[in-house]
Amino acid sequence: MNYTVAKKITGMLLAGSLLLGGCQFSPTPLAHETVTAADQTDFPSLPPGEKLKSSFSDVRLPGMVGIAQNAALQLFINEETAEIAVIHTQSGQIWRSNPADREQDGVAAGINKDLLSSQTKLSFFNSLGQSSTVNSFTDSVAHKQISYEVLPSGVRVHYQFGSTERSIEDLPMKISKERFEQRLLAQLDKAGQRALKVGYAEDKDEGAYVRIDKAMQGLQLSRALKAFDTAGYTSEDLAQDHAEFGIEEERSGPRLFMLTMEYELDGEDLLVRVPSSGIHFPEEYPINSISVMDYFGAGGSEEEGSILVPDGSGALIHFNNGKLQYPAYQQDIYGPDMTMKLREASSNEARARLPVFGLIRKEGAFLGIIEQGDAVAVVNADISGKLNSYNNVYPSFYVVNKSDVTLQASDMVRTLPKFQKKPTASDFVVRYAFVGADKASYSGLASLYRDYLMQNGGLPELNASKEQSNVPFYLQLFGGMTTRQHMLGIPYDSTEALTTFDEAKKILSALTEKKVSNIQVRYAGWLNGGLHHRLPDSIQVDGAVGGKKGLRDFSTYTQEAGIGFYPDIALLNVQSKKGFKPSKEASRTLTQEPAVLYPMNQAIQRRDRDRSPSYVLSPNMLEDVTADMLDELRSLQKDGLSLSLNDLAAQLNSDMNPKKLVDRTQALGSVKKVLEQIGQQAGSLVAEGGNAYALPYVTGLTDAPMTSSRFKLEDEEIPFYQLVVHGSIGYTGTPYNLSTYTNARQYVLKLIEYGASPYFAWFNAPNHVVKETDYDDLYAANYEQWIDLAAEIYNEVNQVNQPFAGRSMISHESLEEGVFRTTYEGGGFVIVNYNDFPVEVDNDTVEAQSYVTGGEQL
């Protein structure tokens, strides 16, 4: 089949299948807000700017005008380059949007050199789904396509990217070897020849040179266009070359983008905002992502410092660590959206649960807090020596997502892009908070973030009292599981008990006899068919575990025994199709299929399609299902509820159904609303995961991040998460008996170092009952083999951690290899030694694999 026919078929497939996003991004974007190639008059022009008047100046910032100041900060901007700088008055530190000495960078070249002078970059798709980028320096500032507006406490910057001038489409996609060498190269000097050789690659089989679109960006594109001009290349030449290879390339409209950034001082912080109303793009070129302040505060190759990333419990990447062979750090805040094509994470990859990042030097530090757009945010970080000489960290935000759909026409198969119908309906706002040398540490930044959350209702109030209760002992009990049975050869589902309510009483009584107190029980698999239960919009207590009467008796027993009881429910992941219509009630992917997720086979790190999948509940359904669930629960359980793994506190999904699209930022609003409703009715709420938006509504967390992912680029694992939440919310990691720990001593030391509680997951039945079932990951959950060890662990951990319960964690520091000190409000501290030999710390001997406590603990 020749190329012309292929192009026509591809065009028909495209016309019949592609859904392209609208070009104008407004808080509530409408489907008809698009700009076509034939009608560019609707595309906004660059707003007229005003001359910025300097209110003050600083000799350290030549060429910059002082635009706003208060008692804590001074904000400067350079009108020629649009770069900004902030002076932190208390420390005297200067924080720049772009490195001051970037022109002397010996590593960066070409587009990477230009990026050091940009404040933002846009990644966008063409109609074939190919990705390209533009940045504010190369494509806006260099062409003087910027304008300014003065704000009461800052400045607004308008950028126009691209122009109506010629583009890559004015260059041939293919040109014969003979014409490339004779018609072009022979007419050019060495500089012109070099420009074309960078942008074209020889295809010897076809006897032609092929355009390299990724190389034709920014300055390189300008050089190539100039070279073609110098060689006298005309539009007739372009038509001739395309005709020779049967290429019918439709010309699109001008590739123009508009973006607005606002910088404002807000007390002691700098607010950087990208308003949704200021983002515009052509229909043919939907924006995929927008980065913000890529090199703000970037550290040079001779500087000392660290980058703080929100990987799991937290991690540090030290400046200039020399790990040039490893990829840059990049993580989605709140983990992946289950409606998107997933990158399979390794089993030890932790989620980024807090929307923060930071940069630390001895003289001062900043913490970036993503206030709006956190649901679609990505934190990016890298070290010097790769693309440039700087260590940097910054956020980016998804605007329009893309997936691929495979279509077949006759004997042709084409993979075509499918775009999100409407762009993300949110502003993107980042708060930069600054500290001086006294708080320039990850502990200092955690304290700053904890105070920020407390002031803004992001954490429950501290529950410190003179007489603290014992630390919690978290226990998950598995009630019933659904298995496939056969009668007379006919298959049917049957719920088989792993732990009945009466057996649960026996287990709790045995724990109490072993001096385990403050037990908090999550009881899973009690309703609608066991662990993989039906949607809880109606609730039937499973008879296999004791029925409604058994539930009420067990609830009475736990109340009288002073045990917390939290029936476990899953809302977001629907594991049974009974009473559930995936075509109507599940979230849709971009290819309009119901979002489905198969369990992970940990042995091969792949999804196991031989096992039963779960469907992702559409956020459109969430509030109604929650209301029905709460109505059902009123007659069953008065206090306490538990949310299961990968549910409201751990997972956030969109719905790409174009008729009722809910992007991830909109889904976040629904999730927060139902969390508040559940918390109000349940009184106490224990949840798995612990994403930042869930923290105000929970009283306890299991499966909270206790490690980082330990990516190769990272240098230190830190308890940033624990420094933020300790004293406000009780927490623990994964159950010990289902974890990767092989040494109970290491587990105890981790709980003590991180101020966490013990956690186990059990059932009463023998272990073999889950073999070769969908629940075989619970292979070591029979309680009898663990109960004695659990009691020993609890009693030891409680003795150490109990004095610190309800107190905020003030600092955490590494004293030497394998030795850490955690200090709490009031001055009490614990030093943990993971080594196999004793160490001396401040005249105290800390024995091997042991700890010491000190300071004021009561």
Side-chain angles (χ1 to χ4, degrees):
M1 179 177 293
N2 70 35
Y3 192 83
T4 303
V5 176
K7 286 280 289 185
K8 289 180 178 178
I9 291 180
T10 301
M12 290 188 290
L13 293 175
L14 277 167
S17 68
L18 292 185
L19 289 173
L20 295 176
C23 91
Q24 183 163 338
F25 185 3
S26 61
T28 53
L30 303 176
H32 65 268
E33 290 181 338
T34 59
V35 174
T36 66
D39 182 13
Q40 288 289 332
T41 58
D42 292 339
F43 197 89
S45 58
L46 189 69
E50 54 186 288
K51 186 70 176 176
L52 300 178
K53 296 180 181 179
S54 179
S55 302
F56 51 91
S57 62
D58 192 290
V59 294
R60 294 171 295 175
L61 297 170
M64 286 194 163
V65 297
I67 199 69
Q69 64 180 332
N70 57 30
L73 302 172
Q74 291 181 316
L75 174 63
F76 296 80
I77 190 166
N78 185 317
E79 285 190 84
E80 295 298 317
T81 63
E83 63 187 297
I84 69 155
V86 176
I87 296 181
H88 183 237
T89 307
Q90 185 225 343
S91 66
Q93 285 289 292
I94 299 177
W95 297 96
R96 298 172 179 267
S97 60
N98 306 91
D101 55 353
R102 58 189 180 275
E103 293 302 326
Q104 285 74 52
D105 187 349
V107 177
I111 193 66
N112 292 320
K113 191 90 166 185
D114 288 1
L115 285 170
L116 292 174
S117 297
S118 72
Q119 293 81 48
T120 179
K121 67 176 182 287
L122 313 181
S123 168
F124 64 92
F125 299 116
N126 63 17
S127 60
L128 298 178
Q130 298 164 324
S131 179
S132 300
T133 61
V134 290
N135 69 78
S136 61
F137 177 77
T138 308
D139 303 280
S140 185
V141 172
H143 300 290
K144 300 188 182 302
Q145 295 174 168
I146 53 174
S147 63
Y148 301 95
E149 290 181 58
V150 175
L151 300 174
S153 56
V155 63
R156 179 181 291 128
V157 185
H158 300 285
Y159 298 95
Q160 177 177 299
F161 301 79
S163 68
T164 57
E165 299 173 358
R166 291 179 306 152
S167 69
I168 194 173
E169 293 175 347
D170 293 288
L171 303 179
M173 293 177 65
K174 287 185 181 181
I175 182 171
S176 69
K177 183 176 187 296
E178 180 182 359
R179 278 178 56 79
F180 185 80
E181 293 175 350
Q182 300 301 321
R183 178 70 183 83
L184 297 174
L185 295 184
Q187 314 300 320
L188 299 172
D189 60 14
K190 290 185 178 180
Q193 292 175 359
R194 185 166 56 252
L196 294 194
K197 289 180 179 179
V198 169
Y200 282 84
E202 184 179 1
D203 183 337
K204 293 184 178 180
D205 293 336
E206 200 166 0
Y209 278 81
V210 181
R211 191 177 72 200
I212 308 171
D213 288 1
K214 287 187 176 181
M216 292 290 198
Q217 297 182 32
L219 185 59
Q220 183 55 45
L221 175 59
S222 299
R223 288 171 176 167
L225 286 166
K226 181 180 178 181
F228 273 87
D229 286 345
T230 302
Y233 193 84
T234 66
S235 58
E236 289 76 14
D237 287 317
L238 179 66
Q240 176 183 337
D241 290 324
H242 278 179
E244 181 177 350
F245 291 96
I247 297 172
E248 294 181 2
E249 186 177 38
E250 295 184 9
R251 296 297 299 267
S252 61
R255 196 186 67 184
L256 293 174
F257 303 93
M258 289 284 295
L259 182 138
T260 297
M261 292 184 71
E262 298 173 355
Y263 305 98
E264 288 194 277
L265 301 184
D266 182 24
E268 298 181 0
D269 307 333
L270 169 70
L271 282 183
V272 179
R273 178 186 302 271
V274 178
S276 61
S277 58
I279 302 174
H280 306 271
F281 53 89
E283 182 181 27
E284 297 97 330
Y285 300 109
I287 293 176
N288 175 229
S289 67
I290 295 173
S291 71
V292 173
M293 305 269 275
D294 296 33
Y295 292 96
F296 185 71
S301 58
E302 302 299 321
E303 294 186 74
E304 292 185 6
S306 296
I307 296 167
L308 167 69
V309 293
D311 174 21
S313 63
L316 296 179
I317 302 169
H318 297 323
F319 287 5
N320 314 308
N321 63 18
K323 299 180 179 181
L324 306 182
Q325 69 273 38
Y326 299 122
Y329 169 86
Q330 186 177 76
Q331 270 193 309
D332 293 348
I333 298 297
Y334 308 142
D337 184 334
M338 296 299 169
T339 67
M340 300 297 164
K341 186 176 181 180
L342 300 181
R343 173 186 62 83
E344 296 297 357
S346 63
S347 58
N348 66 338
E349 182 170 331
R351 300 279 178 86
R353 301 207 178 275
L354 301 178
V356 297
F357 58 94
L359 192 142
I360 304 167
R361 293 185 177 90
K362 290 181 180 179
E363 304 81 13
F366 78 74
L367 179 71
I369 304 170
I370 305 171
E371 288 194 331
Q372 293 184 49
D374 48 321
V376 293
V378 180
V379 172
N380 310 268
D382 209 352
I383 58 168
S384 67
K386 294 181 178 179
L387 304 178
N388 54 59
S389 299
Y390 298 95
N391 307 272
N392 65 315
V393 60
Y394 65 96
S396 56
F397 301 88
Y398 292 115
V399 179
V400 174
N401 288 288
K402 177 189 79 80
S403 187
D404 294 316
V405 59
T406 300
L407 301 176
Q408 187 167 357
S410 299
D411 60 342
M412 283 194 63
V413 176
R414 286 285 182 270
T415 299
L416 302 173
K418 195 90 165 185
F419 298 106
Q420 184 175 320
K421 183 67 175 178
K422 300 176 185 177
T424 300
S426 173
D427 292 353
F428 305 134
V429 180
V430 184
R431 177 180 295 272
Y432 292 87
F434 307 95
V435 296
D438 57 329
K439 293 185 178 179
S441 65
Y442 61 84
S443 297
L445 294 184
S447 176
L448 187 155
Y449 186 49
R450 182 175 65 245
D451 292 344
Y452 167 84
L453 291 176
M454 295 293 291
Q455 292 166 10
N456 292 278
L459 279 176
E461 292 293 328
L462 292 171
N463 54 21
S465 62
K466 289 185 178 180
E467 292 190 14
Q468 290 297 332
S469 61
N470 293 318
V471 301
F473 177 87
Y474 288 100
L475 174 64
Q476 180 164 33
L477 293 176
F478 300 108
M481 64 176 181
T482 301
T483 58
R484 180 56 59 96
Q485 304 291 335
H486 293 81
M487 178 176 288
L488 301 177
I490 301 174
Y492 67 97
D493 289 336
S494 174
T495 302
E496 179 179 345
L498 294 171
T499 311
T500 66
F501 289 121
D502 286 339
E503 290 166 345
K505 292 179 191 176
K506 179 181 70 174
I507 293 172
L508 295 178
S509 295
L511 273 174
T512 303
E513 289 174 3
K514 295 179 183 296
K515 308 302 182 184
V516 177
S517 59
N518 198 3
I519 302 171
Q520 306 294 310
V521 179
R522 302 178 57 221
Y523 191 98
W526 61 276
L527 79 159
N528 293 6
L531 292 173
H532 293 176
H533 62 72
R534 300 188 304 277
L535 195 68
D537 51 353
S538 64
I539 291 177
Q540 180 178 358
V541 183
D542 294 331
V545 296
K548 187 180 294 186
K549 182 179 184 302
L551 173 65
R552 288 175 173 158
D553 289 347
F554 185 69
S555 179
T556 300
Y557 165 80
T558 55
Q559 286 179 346
E560 292 175 351
I563 295 171
F565 172 39
Y566 304 90
D568 195 82
I569 288 183
L571 282 165
L572 293 186
N573 291 298
V574 184
Q575 311 239 23
S576 171
K577 287 199 290 186
K578 290 183 179 179
F580 178 77
K581 298 179 179 178
S583 62
K584 293 183 178 180
E585 298 172 306
S587 284
R588 297 284 186 91
T589 66
L590 283 168
T591 55
Q592 298 311 298
E593 300 166 320
V596 63
L597 191 65
Y598 286 87
M600 179 70 78
N601 185 324
Q602 298 295 349
I604 60 175
Q605 287 296 297
R606 293 185 182 276
R607 298 288 171 182
D608 189 347
R609 293 185 175 273
D610 293 329
R611 297 178 63 178
S612 301
S614 61
Y615 290 89
V616 176
L617 180 70
S618 169
N620 286 298
M621 302 290 301
L622 182 58
E623 293 182 32
D624 288 342
V625 170
T626 301
D628 292 341
M629 177 193 74
L630 293 176
D631 284 342
E632 295 276 311
L633 284 173
R634 285 190 179 94
S635 62
L636 294 173
Q637 170 70 11
K638 299 301 181 184
D639 299 305
L641 196 66
S642 169
L643 296 173
S644 67
L645 183 64
N646 289 326
D647 213 79
L648 293 174
Q651 190 182 122
L652 189 60
N653 305 310
S654 56
D655 185 350
M656 290 291 117
N657 187 335
K659 295 181 180 179
K660 48 182 181 179
L661 186 146
V662 179
D663 68 45
R664 214 174 181 215
T665 65
Q666 295 167 324
L668 177 56
S670 296
V671 167
K672 290 166 76 172
K673 183 175 180 179
V674 300
L675 280 170
E676 183 177 12
Q677 293 170 345
I678 293 171
Q680 287 175 347
Q681 178 168 319
S684 298
L685 179 62
V686 173
E688 295 193 10
N691 288 345
Y693 57 79
L695 298 181
Y697 313 107
V698 300
T699 54
L701 286 171
T702 66
D703 298 86
M706 294 287 287
T707 66
S708 70
S709 304
R710 297 170 183 166
F711 294 127
K712 297 291 187 181
L713 192 68
E714 298 171 351
D715 295 293
E716 280 190 59
E717 183 176 270
I718 59 173
F720 187 88
Y721 191 95
Q722 286 70 23
L723 284 158
V724 172
V725 304
H726 192 279
S728 296
I729 303 170
Y731 55 84
T732 185
T734 56
Y736 172 72
N737 59 304
L738 300 180
S739 72
T740 57
Y741 277 99
T742 58
N743 184 329
R745 193 65 195 158
Q746 296 290 309
Y747 178 68
V748 167
L749 295 179
K750 189 76 168 184
L751 297 182
I752 291 173
E753 181 196 354
Y754 277 34
S757 296
Y759 183 29
F760 284 79
W762 295 336
F763 52 65
N764 183 76
N767 283 326
H768 68 78
V769 300
V770 297
K771 187 178 181 180
E772 297 181 354
T773 71
D774 283 349
Y775 317 94
D776 56 9
D777 56 328
L778 308 179
Y779 57 87
N782 175 263
Y783 84 96
E784 291 178 304
Q785 68 188 96
W786 298 106
I787 191 168
D788 290 335
L789 176 62
E792 291 176 16
I793 289 175
Y794 175 77
N795 288 314
E796 182 175 8
V797 171
N798 183 51
Q799 183 178 8
V800 180
N801 287 355
Q802 188 272 340
F804 307 125
R807 297 182 180 222
S808 58
M809 190 182 287
I810 298 300
S811 69
H812 176 274
E813 55 190 324
S814 173
L815 302 179
E816 57 182 271
E817 185 70 28
V819 183
F820 303 92
R821 175 165 52 206
T822 307
T823 305
Y824 294 87
E825 177 189 11
F829 66 84
V830 58
I831 299 174
V832 174
N833 176 21
Y834 287 91
N835 296 303
D836 294 328
F837 49 84
V839 296
E840 294 290 327
V841 179
D842 296 336
N843 300 319
D844 286 327
T845 299
V846 188
E847 297 297 337
Q849 296 194 32
S850 188
Y851 49 84
V852 297
T853 59
E856 183 183 347
Q857 300 175 45
L858 299 176

